[in-house]
Amino acid sequence: MSDLPEPFSSMPGATCRRILLQKGQHAFHQGDTAHGFFIVANGSIELRRVTENGATVIIHTARPGESFAEASLFSATYHCDAVALEESGLVEISRTEVLGRLQGDAEFAIALSQRFATQVQGYRRRLELLAIRSASERVYCALADGLLTKDIKTFASEIGLTHEAVYRALATLTSQRKILKTARGCYQTLPNADIRQQ
């Protein structure tokens, strides 16, 4: 399927299945038999795990271009629920096909490993951002990382803040000349800005 990201674009169409989910629908449930992992074409998917005491833990929200449920390559069942937060298009990648390619195609195996490693680095950086207590510092660092790619509400949810807190932080950072507003909803960091709390 040529419209898929590398290294999946060379995979036969029969091994990839397109799925359209409405808000609230599941791609899979915790405990379901694993048939493959998924790439988000559009929309967003929330991964939720129910603990033994019945509590629901949100593990991750997958956005367009990201893959999720990669552990299904080496697991018989899915370890969480995958729920659409809005109308979402997915591509399911066949577990059997990927495992076969990993065993017989070194170039594919390296490319897939690089993709997963890059994605893990991104997740770790998100965790680092969430650990920053100051809203202004977190917003500044997220802007420097290029995470403001859509609207402010989406940006706020991705960095664990309310959109009101993000708007306040943006106003403060702009007035302190640490960032520059370039257009409606668009900001860029200014060089040599000292973001530490005064």
Side-chain angles (χ1 to χ4, degrees):
M1 301 179 75
S2 59
D3 59 337
L4 287 177
E6 292 295 336
F8 309 112
S9 59
S10 63
M11 297 181 70
T15 64
C16 304
R17 182 169 68 104
R18 293 193 181 277
I19 302 169
L20 178 63
L21 299 179
Q22 299 303 313
K23 181 178 180 179
Q25 285 189 305
H26 286 67
F28 54 78
H29 293 82
Q30 186 171 333
D32 284 353
T33 300
H35 298 290
F37 65 97
F38 299 80
I39 295 175
V40 182
N42 61 277
S44 55
I45 303 293
E46 189 170 80
L47 304 181
R48 307 170 182 168
R49 180 175 295 159
V50 179
T51 64
E52 291 183 1
N53 64 6
T56 299
V57 178
I58 297 173
I59 302 170
H60 178 63
T61 300
R63 307 286 182 188
E66 292 185 7
S67 59
F68 66 92
E70 299 89 348
S72 67
L73 288 173
F74 308 102
S75 174
T77 60
Y78 293 111
H79 298 154
C80 62
D81 292 346
V83 186
L85 296 179
E86 57 190 304
E87 183 176 277
S88 302
L90 308 177
V91 179
E92 182 181 18
I93 308 292
S94 165
R95 176 177 187 259
T96 303
E97 175 69 18
V98 171
L99 289 175
R101 292 285 297 272
L102 286 173
Q103 292 174 340
D105 186 338
E107 187 175 330
F108 177 86
I110 291 171
L112 185 62
S113 298
Q114 288 176 331
R115 177 183 172 82
F116 287 168
T118 299
Q119 202 160 279
V120 168
Q121 287 177 326
Y123 296 156
R124 286 179 177 169
R125 179 55 180 156
R126 297 284 176 92
L127 291 175
E128 291 171 1
L129 285 172
L130 293 175
I132 299 173
R133 299 184 67 179
S134 162
S136 291
E137 287 186 45
R138 193 185 302 181
V139 167
Y140 180 88
C141 291
L143 287 173
D145 283 354
L147 297 183
L148 179 54
T149 58
K150 293 187 177 178
D151 57 88
I152 299 296
K153 287 188 177 181
T154 300
F155 176 65
S157 69
E158 289 180 346
I159 63 174
L161 295 171
T162 65
H163 65 276
E164 293 89 353
V166 169
Y167 279 119
R168 286 194 297 271
L170 289 169
T172 298
L173 291 167
T174 301
S175 68
Q176 294 173 344
R177 299 182 184 279
K178 294 174 180 175
I179 64 172
L180 177 67
K181 183 175 183 178
T182 57
R184 181 180 174 86
C186 299
Y187 298 82
Q188 66 181 40
T189 56
L190 294 174
N192 304 318
D194 184 357
I195 193 58
R196 293 172 298 178
Q197 291 292 293
Q198 304 298 318

